[in-house]
């Protein structure tokens, strides 16, 4: 395999990972609108453990304003930017 093929394979794998993570992030954000969800139960705790470290980075930058957390907006923008950059490298 040539170096360009290996780079393209790694970049396409990373792009696929970012797409899956983006979907998990969207699910996490949508589920946060339901206050009665028990985040310690099995499927929700896994989702929370996967997405909260990334979201906490942006929560430390943008505090909640009026009880509304705007940090996921910045998190989504950065993830989309990374996804487009990696896709540009892959193809």
């Amino acid at each position: 395999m040539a170096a360009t093929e290996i780079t393209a394979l790694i970049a396409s794998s990373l792009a696929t990972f970012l797409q899956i993570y983006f979907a998990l992030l969207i699910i996490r954000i949508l589920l946060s609108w339901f206050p009665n969800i028990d985040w310690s139960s099995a499927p929700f705790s896994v989702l929370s453990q996967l997405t909260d470290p990334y979201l906490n980075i942006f929560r430390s930058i943008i505090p909640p304003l009026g009880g509304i957390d705007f940090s996921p907006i910045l998190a989504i923008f950065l993830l989309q930017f990374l996804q487009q950059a990696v896709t540009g490298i892959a193809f």
Side-chain angles (χ1 to χ4, degrees):
M1 287 181 102
T4 56
E5 292 175 356
I6 294 173
T7 304
L9 178 64
I10 292 171
S12 65
S13 299
L14 185 58
T16 302
F17 169 77
L18 291 174
Q19 287 174 345
I20 293 169
Y21 195 77
F22 179 76
L24 291 174
L25 191 63
I26 293 295
I27 292 168
R28 169 68 168 102
I29 292 167
L30 291 176
L31 287 175
S32 71
W33 294 348
F34 300 99
N36 58 350
I37 290 179
D38 181 19
W39 289 103
S40 62
S41 65
F44 302 119
S45 67
V46 172
L47 182 63
S48 178
Q49 289 174 358
L50 289 173
T51 57
D52 278 352
Y54 179 67
L55 289 173
N56 287 339
I57 295 169
F58 300 99
R59 287 179 182 141
S60 66
I61 297 171
I62 304 172
L65 302 171
I68 300 173
D69 187 12
F70 291 103
S71 60
I73 296 170
L74 184 59
I76 287 174
F77 284 145
L78 181 63
L79 194 63
Q80 287 287 47
F81 175 76
L82 288 174
Q83 195 173 11
Q84 289 177 358
V86 169
T87 302
I89 293 171
F91 304 106

